[in-house]
Amino acid sequence: MRVVCIGGGPAGLYFGLLMKKENPEHHITVIERNKPYDTFGWGVVFSDATMDNMRAWDRETAQEIESAFNHWDDIEVLIKGRRMRTTGHGFVGIGRKKLLNILQARCEALGVELVFEREVDSDLEFPDADLIIASDGINSKIRNRYRDAFKPDLVMRPNRFIWLGSKKRFDAFTFDFRRTEHGWFQAHIYKFDEDTSTFIVETTEDVFAAHGLDKADETKSIAFCEQLFSEVLNGGTLMSNARHLRGSAWLNFGRLICGKWSHFNGKSHVVLMGDAAHTAHFAIGSGTKLALEDAIELTRQFRNLGDTPDKIPAVLAAYEEVRSVDVARIQNAARNAMEWFEVVGSRYADTLDPEQFMYSLLTRSQRISHENLRLRDKTWLENYERWFAARAGINVDPDGPPVPPMFTPYRVRGLTLQNRIVMSPMAMYSAKDGVPNDFHLVHFGSRALGGAGLIFGEMTCVSPDARITPGCLGLWNDEQAAAWKRMVDFVHTTTPAKFGLQLGHAGRKGSTRVAWEGIDQPLHEDNWPLISASALSYTANSQVPRAMTRADMDQVKADFVAAARRGIEVGFDILELHCAHGYLLSSFLSPLTNHRTDEYGGSHENNARYPLEIFRAIRAVWPDDKPISVRLSCHDWTEGGNTPADAAIYAKMFKDAGADLVDCSSGQVSKDEKPVYGRLFQTPFSDKLRNEVGIATVAVGAISEADHANSIIAAGRADLCALARPHLADTAWTLHEAAKIGVKSIAWPKQYLSAKMQYETNLARAAAGPRPG
Ligand SMILES: Cc1cc2nc3c(=O)[nH]c(=O)nc-3n(C[C@H](O)[C@H](O)[C@H](O)COP(=O)(O)OP(=O)(O)OC[C@H]3O[C@@H](n4cnc5c(N)ncnc54)[C@H](O)[C@@H]3O)c2cc1C
Ligand SMILES: Cc1cc2nc3c(=O)[nH]c(=O)nc-3n(C[C@H](O)[C@H](O)[C@H](O)COP(=O)(O)O)c2cc1C
């Protein structure tokens, strides 16, 4: 085959050499506009896994790269006068020039033709090529030429960064955070050869502009950074080698995804590789890794499917299928890390204690969890656990096993929860006339015995026509109150768990069948009239509600207050006002469901007016020493709906009105929603509200392991973790998870004690693997 790689960065060179090695008959040319030793940038980092992959494909280059590597294990964080260090993080760094020189030399040794100082304008310059690799980087001319075919989606991110170098030697991957009168800057620093370190300085656009850096040339920018980071530089200077760049030396990162990776130009097949196809932010340093792995995968497909011109279409399709999945995974992690650095100044640097700030930094991509950190640096993690536990009020034994964050107590007003695990509200549709029965007693009782610090009742309706279905629970009469009291008393007298009441009104989502008979479908008969913020039905099939009148508002408010008063008599420990999921109060908060033109619609202030009126009314009767939380849909997942930024505005309003916690859910407001599900998918909302608004939060949604809960709580992304479905699957989720992570200090109900040790021993045996013989 005749192969031309346009662009001699890591992608083009590595693919060239791998293919030549596979079959020396191929005629392969790599064309690069720069001189052989002329390149931008400083060092790049790899993980051990990338090296294993490279070793398997070309031992020679892998060996040369390894011998040029600088390996380091430590991460050091400087912030607010503190210098903190952790170990076990295993990175290797190499100079970009050195890497390219190794690849260039190997190409030459294998017979790949290298052409330098030639700028390619078009792929059509190579009509005899069977295959053209567009490895021409982020600004790929070749990709841009076939924009319609490749469908590039390039988003310029808001932060500014400058890629500098320093001759000062750093013996750890160092992050230095510095506050100026205008805001925060951070430096990402790592050594990549004996005497040189990469030194990337980053800040937000407004801080960048406030310092006049938009008008500063490179020399002034470097002087500014040297001054700002003088402590960590300790007399060292900064250097640039980006002189070929036009305009500002400060760049914005461009996040690139392509809809399609290959195209036939009439003569040759053109395929994207490396930064031309995708980018991953330097916050997790994976751009070069992705470029090299693209090269490996394309070579693998030629090996598997055949390396003759007729096989090219099948090979390119297989390459794209495999790589687009892997790349999306890395881009996801890179996005979390990138976003962390974009908000670090406004969200974490001022608010979190240095210890917790460091934990948040280390887990920023959400790929490294609590237990990963324990594997990397047990001493650091255990000290952090002790710090966290002491802050939560535990008398810490410096020599004893530390208590993981999810098992620390949580205090809010007069309420103390023994741990941070909450059973989330879950409608069971199993009541008659709103009255709890034996099913509910067993349902709640068994979960309370199962170790959660707090169990929430399901959405409890404030009047008969506030119900979602005829099977929903209520608290509008004394019979219901008495049945609730029996359950709450059982929980209080038999377990250490606390019991929460979630009060709600179904609004336009009411008068429907129980879940297993057709969710959101109107009743076959005996439907009751619905009310909502506006007269908009939920589905095409649903009843159209009446837009609430002031008289309706007064009635519903009175119902909420009466239910809250009954809740006090029953003895609930905490009240949650359900303002999520498209039910009545949520219908006011979302512009999708609130089309009112009076003082109850049209702006954040107006949309929140009625929900806040209810909140204030129940806060006025609810005892001062008992907390109230508010459940919000923090994202409508639909064009024109609320986003986390709107949720932050509402959270602030509820906070100012006296709310203690926001329970951060999302969705179910519109049938057009397109939620992006995934592990911990709603935790970012909790993180945002907690750290930007300064209100305690509950994280919920696809949290299913102790490791998840510990990571969330430890990083300060939430104060409590609520789990719904895991509690349906396992009544004793908390006790079981404690045993799984080896925490033996969590008390089991005395009646069940004989099972505890056996359960722990069986787990330990299973973890140790099969016995020999
Ligand atoms: C600040 C910063 C820090 C980074 N840190 C890391 C890190 O630590 N680890 C990591 O893995 N990655 C890092 N990266 C990313 C990494 O540099 C890229 O992802 C990687 O170089 C991609 O390789 P590539 O071969 O696809 O593209 P490039 O390395 O961009 O190579 C493209 C080549 O094509 C040439 N070219 C372009 N157009 C033409 C043309 N028309 N004719 C001829 N030649 C052309 C260019 O001169 C260039 O040499 C970082 C990036 C930045 C901006
Ligand atoms: C069967 C079921 C019923 C639910 N009912 C309610 C409810 O009454 N009130 C509420 O706010 N959320 C309700 N939810 C949502 C859960 O509280 C929770 O937010 C959601 O299931 C995500 O958590 P998970 O991933 O741990 O299941 C319900 C969820 C399930 C599975």
Side-chain angles (χ1 to χ4, degrees):
M1 287 193 303
R2 171 90 179 92
V3 181
V4 176
C5 303
I6 303 175
L13 290 169
Y14 199 49
F15 179 71
L17 76 84
L18 290 183
M19 276 303 278
K20 189 75 182 170
K21 191 179 164 196
E22 286 290 294
N23 184 349
E25 298 288 298
H26 295 318
H27 187 277
I28 301 177
T29 309
V30 179
I31 304 178
E32 168 57 47
R33 64 180 168 205
N34 291 333
K35 295 185 190 134
Y37 297 98
D38 181 19
T39 177
F40 71 93
W42 300 94
V44 293
V45 291
F46 291 134
S47 67
D48 292 347
T50 310
M51 280 321 301
D52 290 345
N53 209 359
M54 290 184 76
R55 216 172 291 117
W57 282 86
D58 186 48
R59 182 164 291 281
E60 284 79 354
T61 35
Q63 270 169 357
E64 282 223 47
I65 290 170
E66 271 165 333
S67 62
F69 266 155
N70 269 269
H71 185 273
W72 72 95
D73 279 318
D74 292 5
I75 294 181
E76 187 162 278
V77 181
L78 285 85
I79 184 163
K80 294 191 264 198
R82 293 281 300 279
R83 191 185 273 263
M84 299 163 292
R85 192 179 267 246
T86 153
T87 193
H89 300 280
F91 291 101
V92 284
I94 183 169
R96 181 177 156 96
K97 284 187 193 184
K98 181 77 193 168
L99 172 69
L100 291 183
N101 292 342
I102 292 171
L103 298 179
Q104 286 158 359
R106 182 76 176 134
C107 277
E108 275 169 353
L110 289 166
V112 175
E113 183 192 11
L114 297 183
V115 178
F116 291 99
E117 297 181 76
R118 172 169 171 195
E119 171 93 32
V120 177
D121 284 318
S122 160
D123 49 304
L124 300 176
E125 292 171 31
F126 311 98
D128 60 334
D130 298 302
L131 178 65
I132 293 177
I133 309 290
S135 49
D136 49 347
I138 168 94
N139 298 316
S140 170
K141 269 191 196 164
I142 310 300
R143 183 193 65 228
N144 289 344
R145 217 183 129 76
Y146 302 111
R147 210 178 280 279
D148 291 347
F150 291 126
K151 300 188 176 50
D153 170 17
L154 179 65
V155 178
M156 296 316 284
R157 301 300 306 190
N159 268 11
R160 290 286 186 152
F161 69 92
I162 183 166
W163 201 0
L164 302 171
S166 172
K167 288 290 175 194
K168 168 154 171 47
R169 291 183 210 172
F170 290 87
D171 64 347
F173 198 129
T174 305
F175 293 99
D176 188 2
F177 296 83
R178 296 276 147 189
R179 201 187 203 307
T180 70
E181 68 273 31
H182 299 301
W184 288 88
F185 283 82
Q186 57 262 12
H188 312 233
I189 314 163
Y190 52 93
K191 190 171 90 162
F192 63 85
D193 69 23
E194 260 326 290
D195 58 1
T196 329
S197 299
T198 299
F199 201 111
I200 304 169
V201 178
E202 186 188 13
T203 190
T204 55
E205 183 72 29
D206 53 337
V207 176
F208 167 77
H211 280 282
L213 291 168
D214 48 344
K215 296 177 194 77
D217 61 14
E218 193 177 87
T219 313
K220 276 199 183 136
S221 296
I222 288 177
F224 175 87
C225 293
E226 281 174 347
Q227 162 91 36
L228 184 60
F229 293 101
S230 56
E231 183 189 326
V232 78
L233 281 167
N234 193 18
T237 55
L238 293 173
M239 327 173 270
S240 162
N241 68 356
R243 294 195 197 284
H244 64 283
L245 292 174
R246 282 185 298 271
S248 172
W250 292 83
L251 305 171
N252 289 87
F253 173 75
R255 193 281 286 127
L256 174 75
I257 298 173
C258 285
K260 185 100 190 65
W261 293 25
S262 66
H263 172 67
F264 185 65
N265 71 10
K267 302 253 185 226
S268 324
H269 292 276
V270 182
V271 64
L272 304 178
M273 189 178 279
D275 272 14
H278 45 68
T279 55
H281 190 257
F282 57 84
I284 63 162
S286 290
T288 307
K289 161 200 156 79
L290 288 181
L292 297 171
E293 287 175 355
D294 283 354
I296 289 174
E297 188 56 40
L298 189 54
T299 312
R300 188 201 316 276
Q301 294 301 342
F302 275 117
R303 184 187 281 183
N304 291 347
L305 301 175
D307 61 350
T308 47
D310 57 312
K311 298 292 189 324
I312 293 176
V315 165
L316 298 187
Y319 158 75
E320 180 177 336
E321 194 181 322
V322 174
R323 286 307 291 157
S324 53
V325 174
D326 283 355
V327 166
R329 202 171 39 80
I330 299 282
Q331 282 184 324
N332 254 344
R335 191 196 54 222
N336 291 338
M338 170 182 78
E339 287 175 353
W340 192 92
F341 284 108
E342 287 170 0
V343 299
V344 60
S346 60
R347 198 184 283 182
Y348 309 115
D350 286 319
T351 47
L352 298 181
D353 289 322
E355 287 82 355
Q356 192 164 39
F357 178 86
M358 181 163 176
Y359 187 102
S360 177
L361 168 69
L362 294 174
T363 55
R364 65 193 178 277
S365 72
Q366 291 186 33
R367 278 198 313 175
I368 294 175
S369 70
H370 199 72
E371 295 308 318
N372 290 149
L373 284 176
R374 199 186 305 281
L375 290 177
R376 286 164 186 240
D377 188 349
K378 189 162 183 271
T379 310
W380 180 86
L381 204 256
E382 290 193 347
N383 281 337
Y384 181 70
E385 289 183 326
R386 288 192 185 93
W387 175 86
F388 190 95
R391 203 184 57 160
I394 290 186
N395 223 342
V396 173
D397 169 5
D399 302 318
V403 179
M406 70 185 252
F407 292 111
T408 59
Y410 181 68
R411 281 184 200 83
V412 50
R413 296 199 187 225
L415 173 68
T416 301
L417 304 178
Q418 63 157 358
N419 63 49
R420 311 291 185 112
I421 300 303
V422 178
M423 174 172 122
S424 200
M426 277 178 287
M428 292 288 105
Y429 311 110
S430 298
K432 192 165 176 302
D433 299 325
V435 185
N437 55 42
D438 287 353
F439 168 81
H440 299 98
L441 175 69
V442 174
H443 172 65
F444 291 121
S446 51
R447 269 89 195 164
L449 287 164
L454 171 64
I455 58 165
F456 257 111
E458 65 190 67
M459 177 171 122
T460 301
C461 307
V462 295
S463 63
D465 57 5
R467 288 176 299 169
I468 310 167
T469 74
C472 289
L473 284 173
L475 191 48
W476 65 82
N477 64 34
D478 294 342
E479 187 191 357
Q480 293 158 348
W484 273 112
K485 187 159 186 338
R486 175 172 170 239
M487 300 193 296
V488 172
D489 287 349
F490 171 82
V491 168
H492 283 162
T493 53
T494 318
T495 81
K498 303 296 178 187
F499 208 141
L501 167 65
Q502 186 191 53
L503 282 183
H505 188 302
R508 70 176 187 152
K509 293 175 80 174
S511 191
T512 61
R513 298 175 221 165
V514 295
W516 46 88
E517 286 176 10
I519 202 155
D520 298 326
Q521 294 305 311
L523 294 171
H524 293 297
E525 54 195 17
D526 297 332
N527 281 289
W528 56 85
L530 302 181
I531 50 173
S532 188
S534 298
L536 300 163
S537 68
Y538 183 47
T539 68
N541 229 2
S542 309
Q543 216 189 116
V544 179
R546 176 174 81 241
M548 279 180 94
T549 62
R550 186 59 239 186
D552 292 328
M553 291 184 188
D554 289 340
Q555 180 59 53
V556 171
K557 180 164 72 171
D559 293 340
F560 268 99
V561 170
R565 284 190 202 280
R566 284 200 166 88
I568 301 168
E569 296 306 312
V570 169
F572 285 107
D573 303 290
I574 176 172
L575 180 62
E576 177 162 285
L577 185 61
H578 199 337
C579 296
H581 303 168
Y583 296 117
L584 185 71
L585 300 179
S586 160
S587 76
F588 279 86
L589 295 178
S590 173
L592 298 172
T593 47
N594 185 344
H595 292 182
R596 298 178 76 106
T597 52
D598 59 6
E599 68 265 45
Y600 299 103
S603 64
H604 288 113
E605 203 189 350
N606 285 357
N607 291 355
R609 194 179 305 280
Y610 184 60
L612 281 171
E613 187 180 325
I614 301 272
F615 178 83
R616 290 198 184 93
I618 56 172
R619 185 64 270 180
V621 298
W622 191 248
D624 259 0
D625 63 340
K626 291 190 180 185
I628 304 190
S629 69
V630 174
R631 186 165 248 215
L632 292 180
S633 280
C634 297
H635 205 319
D636 288 345
W637 304 110
T638 317
E639 196 64 33
N642 281 335
T643 65
D646 301 297
I649 294 171
Y650 292 133
K652 168 87 170 61
M653 292 176 177
F654 280 107
K655 176 189 172 194
D656 292 346
D660 299 291
L661 290 143
V662 175
D663 187 351
C664 301
S665 188
S666 74
Q668 299 175 50
V669 171
S670 159
K671 275 287 181 199
D672 299 331
E673 68 179 1
K674 295 202 170 46
V676 183
Y677 293 121
R679 190 169 53 95
L680 320 188
F681 75 112
Q682 295 172 153
T683 301
F685 313 144
S686 163
D687 185 358
K688 179 179 172 72
L689 268 47
R690 181 177 191 273
N691 295 306
E692 284 182 9
V693 177
I695 185 159
T697 57
V698 184
V700 64
I703 299 168
S704 55
E705 296 170 15
D707 198 21
H708 299 160
N710 278 324
S711 307
I712 293 170
I713 303 289
R717 299 194 163 95
D719 297 274
L720 300 173
C721 284
L723 293 87
R725 290 163 297 171
H727 274 117
L728 294 186
D730 183 355
T731 56
W733 185 88
T734 306
L735 299 180
H736 289 161
E737 287 296 309
K740 283 182 201 163
I741 58 168
V743 176
K744 299 192 172 168
S745 56
I746 308 303
W748 282 40
K750 58 180 184 287
Q751 299 87 339
Y752 300 169
L753 261 183
S754 55
K756 181 173 187 271
M757 209 208 290
Q758 186 198 39
Y759 190 79
E760 289 166 353
T761 311
N762 286 346
L763 281 174
R765 276 207 198 111
R771 263 188 266 174

